[in-house]
Amino acid sequence: MGQGHSGESGPRNVTTERLSHELALRFAKRCFTPLEVTHFKDVFRSLADDQDGIHYWKEETLCRFLVIPDALGPGPVIFQMATYLGAFPFPSLAPSILTIEAMLKVVVVMTERYGRVLKRGKADRNKLLFRSLAVFDRRMSSPEKPQQEMLDNIEKEKAGAHEPSPAAETRTHLPASLFSVDEPANDNDEDEDDDELALAALESLDAIEVFKHDQRPDTKIHHAQIPVDNFRRLLMLLLVIAPLNSQESLSTHAERLKEARLDGLRRVADCILWSFTPEQTAGIFYHSFNTIIPASLPFLFDGLNPLFEHFLFSKNIDLSRRKQPSSSVALPSSITPQVSDTVLEPLMPQEGEILDLNVLSQLSFFIKGDTLFRRLRPLYFGGDAGFSMGSLEQKVLNWRAPSILLVSGTRLSSEPRGGREKSFHDTLPTKRFPDGASGNSSSGRVVFGAYLNVPWKHTYKEAIGDRETLLFQLEPIHEVFRASTISRDYATFAKSGVSFGCPPARSKPISGLSSHVALGPVSLMLDDSLEYGVFNHDVTGGGSFHTSPSRKYSWQDRFEIQSLEVWGCGGDEEAEKQRAAWAFEEREAANRKNLRLGKDVEADRALLEMAGLVGNHGGSGGSMG
């Protein structure tokens, strides 16, 4: 106490390389078990190249080990991320050669094991991942030159790089131009430049001052953008690995990458990409990244955790017998992560017209995967059961677990066509807002949905739902609208239709009030015929769901429903409870139908008619005098 480090003692007299080495040792000791370290060393050394005594991994080695699908093309992007993270916490050392220490830090960051050493760092991994994906170049933020042309020039520079020597190969995969600027283009957003994860790392080593001296103008985060094409390729990979577990090889999922699946992956990736408004720039700025990820994609990078956990499972270590001393002998280069041979059940029991494997992974970016993968049960398909409130009611009631409603359709024109469309149009208030953004789509297709955390039930005076209820758009732009507490009209289910964010319909019209459907500021409404729907986004807010954090304008999409699905989030136990509830209701209905009459059948029937229980009487019952 009192004799510790003070502001007058100055920074530790050590190099950044030495501090980086100390951090790697601390990670190895505190973030892994001795057995995991043994597996990691075996995996690294069995595949490492050697040049002048330096053991390192090349891009090809990393991609082959992780079984990155060539069809998706994310290999260079993953390698760029690794060479940046390998230099953690010193950006001036990036891109780093992927030595065993650098690779250890990559695994620690990707699997989020740093929390065992850096107590303050968990919430800041996204910023570090942004830096690892970004292009630090002043030209990317220059307004004088078209953005796409700048990206093309950078790609040409990459293609024209000289052939590197083996030892330097990992450095020259990422040209210096990607990490350099001339002079800062602007000095705004200084508060975004502090990297809390790096600061926490250096604080653990008592080396904050060294970190501050290491900061360079060319690594300021407001100079950085993620190239759109790079992010698209990464998104496609993240969609594929979303259901991955740590002992499951990516090859099992890569085998499904047929041409039709690839087209679906591109479509979903584009919908997500357009939530970052790339029509305005050729790259994604940190402000947009940091706004969209927490709100609409909080679990986007979760699939990286099990992917890089594969480094901790060596195929060459047999735990049933003692390891031979000849472990230094080179092992076959075809090594792949050790995975379980257990055959897993399918990720979903069947595909719907809306929900397929790609959309399922898209949902897992904002709904926890353990709620979705191998946990969904189809409750209602409009194409099979019929588009009616009665059919929907029969299928969804008595499901005692969370559920997901998905609806797809085609935008309606501004002028109604046909009598049914005009009737729907007349039930709504005058349209004051334009259609929503179309993203990369010209078909007019829209997909909306809702996650309901409580069982379905009829709503008369009060809505159902809670703070966990979600309203979302999946196509053409991905966005999640989270529940608010200003109003609690989260979901309604009645003869008038299904809605989210709208107040319950009035049972009788009130004189002087509009007879139009009351739409919430942010709401989704499906009419009583399940033929048409409307999504409303009033930027003034104030309803049951928060407005968009990125699209600061009002819009309204009116659409004709093409497909409607409800999926239950639960297993066999939940399905059995629903079947038991159905069986009970059927028995009760049968008992009421088979009501036994007395010997005087005519007198009993007359009594029942007076009570209004049988017969077809249009008038009211008699009165007692």
Side-chain angles (χ1 to χ4, degrees):
M1 298 290 292
Q3 296 185 5
H5 299 280
S6 66
E8 299 177 356
S9 62
R12 290 177 57 187
N13 188 24
V14 291
T15 63
T16 55
E17 288 80 1
R18 178 61 186 174
L19 287 172
S20 180
H21 171 71
E22 288 184 20
L23 183 62
L25 293 179
R26 184 165 298 191
F27 279 155
K29 183 178 180 180
R30 303 270 304 272
C31 300
F32 302 100
T33 66
L35 181 59
E36 287 174 332
V37 172
T38 300
H39 277 265
F40 173 79
K41 289 180 178 179
D42 186 79
V43 168
F44 181 87
R45 290 169 178 168
S46 63
L47 289 173
D49 284 85
D50 182 9
Q51 179 70 25
D52 298 329
I54 299 176
H55 293 81
Y56 65 97
W57 274 30
K58 299 184 295 186
E59 177 183 324
E60 178 188 358
T61 307
L62 179 64
C63 295
R64 187 174 76 247
F65 174 75
L66 295 177
V67 200
I68 302 296
D70 293 334
L72 303 181
V77 180
I78 294 295
F79 185 72
Q80 173 182 330
M81 296 175 71
T83 56
Y84 184 90
L85 297 177
F88 178 78
F90 299 107
S92 64
L93 300 182
S96 68
I97 296 176
L98 294 184
T99 62
I100 190 169
E101 289 185 357
M103 212 53 242
L104 181 78
K105 288 188 285 185
V106 172
V107 174
V108 166
V109 173
M110 288 295 199
T111 60
E112 297 186 273
R113 292 192 174 216
Y114 51 76
R116 302 177 188 179
V117 173
L118 314 177
K119 302 303 181 184
R120 290 173 15 204
K122 182 175 177 59
D124 205 60
R125 185 177 75 145
N126 285 351
K127 182 183 290 187
L128 191 60
L129 293 180
F130 175 86
R131 288 181 178 274
S132 72
L133 288 163
V135 172
F136 290 86
D137 195 303
R138 191 174 72 88
R139 294 171 299 174
M140 293 294 296
S141 55
S142 173
E144 291 82 15
K145 196 171 184 181
Q147 301 286 341
Q148 189 58 49
E149 183 180 347
M150 297 176 205
L151 285 174
D152 293 341
N153 290 340
I154 292 175
E155 291 297 326
K156 290 178 182 178
E157 291 178 15
K158 292 172 66 177
H162 296 293
E163 184 70 17
S165 62
E169 185 171 359
T170 55
R171 287 187 181 274
T172 54
H173 268 84
L174 300 176
S177 63
L178 295 186
F179 290 87
S180 63
V181 295
D182 300 323
E183 295 295 333
N186 60 71
D187 291 316
N188 298 326
D189 304 324
E190 291 296 334
D191 57 325
E192 293 181 342
D193 288 316
D194 289 334
D195 194 324
E196 295 296 330
L197 195 56
L199 289 172
L202 273 299
E203 183 179 7
S204 71
L205 298 175
D206 191 26
I208 294 294
E209 291 299 321
V210 179
F211 174 78
K212 292 179 179 178
H213 287 298
D214 180 73
Q215 297 300 287
R216 307 181 313 186
D218 60 332
T219 60
K220 288 188 178 296
I221 204 165
H222 61 259
H223 293 157
Q225 291 187 44
I226 302 176
V228 169
D229 187 57
N230 285 4
F231 199 53
R232 179 185 290 108
R233 287 184 284 171
L234 179 63
L235 285 172
M236 292 174 67
L237 175 66
L238 293 173
L239 287 166
V240 173
I241 67 176
L244 194 68
N245 64 56
S246 58
Q247 295 194 49
E248 181 184 9
S249 174
L250 182 53
S251 61
T252 60
H253 298 278
E255 292 171 357
R256 306 189 186 103
L257 296 180
K258 310 299 183 183
E259 189 60 35
R261 176 85 195 275
L262 288 174
D263 290 341
L265 282 171
R266 294 187 191 99
R267 186 185 71 251
V268 172
D270 276 341
C271 293
I272 297 173
L273 190 61
W274 276 86
S275 65
F276 295 91
T277 60
E279 75 276 8
Q280 300 175 5
T281 63
I284 298 169
F285 284 102
Y286 178 71
H287 177 74
S288 175
F289 185 88
N290 194 42
T291 299
I292 300 299
I293 297 292
S296 296
L297 301 160
F299 311 128
L300 176 67
F301 297 111
D302 281 12
L304 294 174
N305 295 38
L307 182 65
F308 280 83
E309 288 273 354
H310 290 163
F311 278 91
L312 309 180
F313 298 93
S314 173
K315 193 175 182 179
N316 304 294
I317 296 179
D318 188 352
L319 299 179
S320 63
R321 59 189 178 89
R322 188 173 181 179
K323 189 175 179 180
Q324 300 300 319
S326 58
S327 60
S328 59
V329 178
L331 297 173
S333 61
S334 60
I335 180 175
T336 56
Q338 179 178 341
V339 297
S340 172
D341 295 330
T342 304
V343 178
L344 298 174
E345 64 177 298
L347 295 174
M348 54 189 304
Q350 67 183 92
E351 292 192 350
E353 295 181 1
I354 305 174
L355 187 64
D356 57 14
L357 290 176
N358 301 323
V359 177
L360 181 62
S361 292
Q362 183 181 3
L363 291 175
S364 74
F365 289 165
F366 60 92
I367 301 173
K368 268 296 188 181
D370 55 12
T371 304
L372 301 174
F373 299 118
R374 304 182 178 91
R375 293 285 294 171
L376 290 185
R377 296 290 185 274
L379 300 182
Y380 168 82
F381 288 168
D384 295 337
F387 289 89
S388 71
M389 289 300 298
S391 299
L392 178 61
E393 175 184 331
Q394 288 181 341
K395 298 296 184 180
V396 303
L397 292 185
N398 296 320
W399 178 259
R400 304 302 180 187
S403 57
I404 297 171
L405 179 144
L406 299 173
V407 58
S408 68
T410 304
R411 285 191 179 117
L412 299 175
S413 59
S414 56
E415 292 297 326
R417 292 174 295 185
R420 298 181 67 85
E421 188 174 324
K422 186 177 187 306
S423 297
F424 171 70
H425 180 86
D426 291 341
T427 65
L428 301 177
T430 302
K431 186 175 180 180
R432 300 182 293 119
F433 307 139
D435 290 345
S438 298
N440 203 30
S441 172
S442 59
S443 65
R445 173 180 162 89
V446 292
V447 178
F448 297 100
Y451 171 79
L452 189 61
N453 197 44
V454 299
W456 290 84
K457 68 177 183 179
H458 291 110
T459 55
Y460 300 103
K461 295 183 178 180
E462 294 184 355
I464 57 175
D466 58 20
R467 286 294 308 277
E468 300 301 317
T469 305
L470 298 174
L471 190 58
F472 52 85
Q473 180 179 18
L474 298 181
E475 192 176 339
I477 295 179
H478 175 103
E479 185 145 21
V480 177
F481 306 90
R482 298 189 176 273
S484 168
T485 55
I486 297 177
S487 172
R488 299 184 183 275
D489 295 327
Y490 299 122
T492 60
F493 184 66
K495 292 182 179 180
S496 57
V498 182
S499 68
F500 299 87
C502 299
R506 295 185 295 270
S507 57
K508 295 182 180 180
I510 301 176
S511 177
L513 294 182
S514 172
S515 60
H516 292 141
V517 173
L519 298 177
V522 178
S523 59
L524 172 67
M525 189 277 290
L526 311 181
D527 73 346
D528 56 355
S529 66
L530 301 183
E531 189 174 2
Y532 298 101
V534 56
F535 184 90
N536 190 61
H537 179 269
D538 186 343
V539 73
T540 58
S544 302
F545 295 94
H546 291 290
T547 58
S548 168
S550 58
R551 290 186 274 178
K552 302 296 187 181
Y553 55 89
S554 298
W555 80 88
Q556 186 182 100
D557 282 332
R558 300 181 179 187
F559 55 93
E560 181 179 8
I561 296 174
Q562 294 176 333
S563 299
L564 179 62
E565 302 173 1
V566 179
W567 295 78
C569 304
D572 295 335
E573 181 180 353
E574 288 79 6
E576 182 58 37
K577 288 180 179 179
Q578 187 185 38
R579 285 192 291 268
W582 279 340
F584 174 78
E585 291 184 356
E586 288 175 0
R587 288 194 301 270
E588 290 296 302
N591 290 337
R592 290 192 296 269
K593 185 176 181 180
N594 297 327
L595 182 65
R596 298 181 64 86
L597 298 177
K599 293 182 180 180
D600 191 344
V601 177
E602 293 301 325
D604 288 341
R605 179 172 295 278
L607 181 62
L608 292 175
E609 287 180 352
M610 290 177 61
L613 299 179
V614 298
N616 187 20
H617 302 286
S620 60
S623 61
M624 301 271 308

